[in-house]
Amino acid sequence: EDQVTQSPEALRLQEGESSSLNCSYTVSGLRGLFWYRQDPGKGPEFLFTLYSAGEEKEKERLKATLTKKESFLHITAPKPEDSATYLCAAWGGATNKLIFGTGTLLAVQP
Amino acid sequence: DAGVIQSPRHEVTEMGQEVTLRCKPISGHDYLFWYRQTMMRGLELLIYFNNNVPIDDSGMPEDRFSAKMPNASFSTLKIQPSEPRDSAVYFCASSFGGAGNEQYFGPGTRLTVT
């Protein structure tokens, strides 16, 4: 069964304290790995799509990487405004749709 | 563009009542998705349309749920009769060119069934 697992469930960082979020997937024939940010009371907002192992993409303090089994979202010197839930989703497998993980709730304290 | 528009933003109803959620996708987008989000199960795809045609409804929980897309600018998700376990946030999303392309989400409808 296609599955996406994110860890940790929650992460609390001090401002400036870099860390990484993990997204493990078991999807045969992965066609894309997506990262979204979700703020409370809002819909997910697209961040990145990665298509092949070894690919990296950056946006401000965020960098996403992909291997054949997992993806990481690295957060460098985070700020309080980076606080949100980060969702990853895998596209591929037996169905033509995104399979989402349950997310990592990130809190960055000033 | 105003983005994906959903209404209502909040809905409180009693068990057994009919609920209709509405969505206006981004103009020009040819894919529309309905998702449900709960704490326990996260974000789950219910159904998606391509050019107003339902393509995959395997995520629709049961016959109480139905979705329509009468034209390119409007879709509805209906629950009849509603049950307390249907309480969740329902999101509509749209994309251009493919189910695996960047999806733009609406603000969601928070449904509470008492």
Side-chain angles (χ1 to χ4, degrees), chain A residues 5 22-27 30 53 66-71:
Chain A
T5 303
N22 178 265
C23 171
S24 298
Y25 61 90
T26 52
V27 172
L30 182 78
L66 181 65
T67 73
K68 290 186 178 180
K69 293 183 178 180
E70 57 193 348
S71 178

Side-chain angles (χ1 to χ4, degrees), chain A residues 32 34 36 38 41-47 49 51 85 87 91 95-102, chain B residues 9 35 37 39-43 45 48 56 58-59 91 99-108:
Chain A
F34 296 74
Y36 284 81
Q38 186 174 21
K42 296 188 176 181
E45 178 184 347
F46 172 81
L47 293 173
T49 307
Y51 293 102
T85 296
L87 301 168
W91 175 49
T95 61
N96 185 32
K97 57 188 180 184
L98 299 188
I99 300 170
F100 280 84
T102 52
Chain B
R9 293 295 312 278
Y35 288 90
Q37 188 174 44
M39 290 293 294
M40 290 299 296
R41 299 175 66 89
L43 199 60
L45 179 67
Y48 79 90
D56 185 342
S58 60
F91 289 102
N101 290 350
E102 178 181 343
Q103 294 183 18
Y104 294 81
F105 283 77

Side-chain angles (χ1 to χ4, degrees), chain B residues 5-98:
Chain B
I5 299 172
Q6 291 186 247
S7 65
R9 293 295 312 278
H10 302 273
E11 178 79 37
V12 180
T13 190
E14 292 184 348
M15 183 174 63
Q17 296 298 305
E18 178 180 294
V19 175
T20 300
L21 311 182
R22 297 173 176 79
C23 175
K24 176 179 170 56
I26 292 173
S27 177
H29 282 191
D30 54 350
Y31 283 78
L32 184 139
F33 309 84
W34 281 101
Y35 288 90
R36 178 171 67 177
Q37 188 174 44
T38 62
M39 290 293 294
M40 290 299 296
R41 299 175 66 89
L43 199 60
E44 301 175 286
L45 179 67
L46 300 176
I47 185 172
Y48 79 90
F49 295 82
N50 176 216
N51 290 325
N52 314 336
V53 176
I55 302 300
D56 185 342
D57 65 354
S58 60
M60 297 285 261
E62 47 199 273
D63 292 345
R64 298 184 297 107
F65 285 69
S66 63
K68 294 182 179 180
M69 192 166 185
N71 57 62
S73 59
F74 184 66
S75 177
T76 60
L77 178 68
K78 184 178 293 185
I79 308 172
Q80 166 63 17
S82 58
E83 297 182 3
R85 60 192 168 120
D86 301 330
S87 298
V89 181
Y90 291 80
F91 289 102
C92 175
S94 68
S95 71
F96 175 73

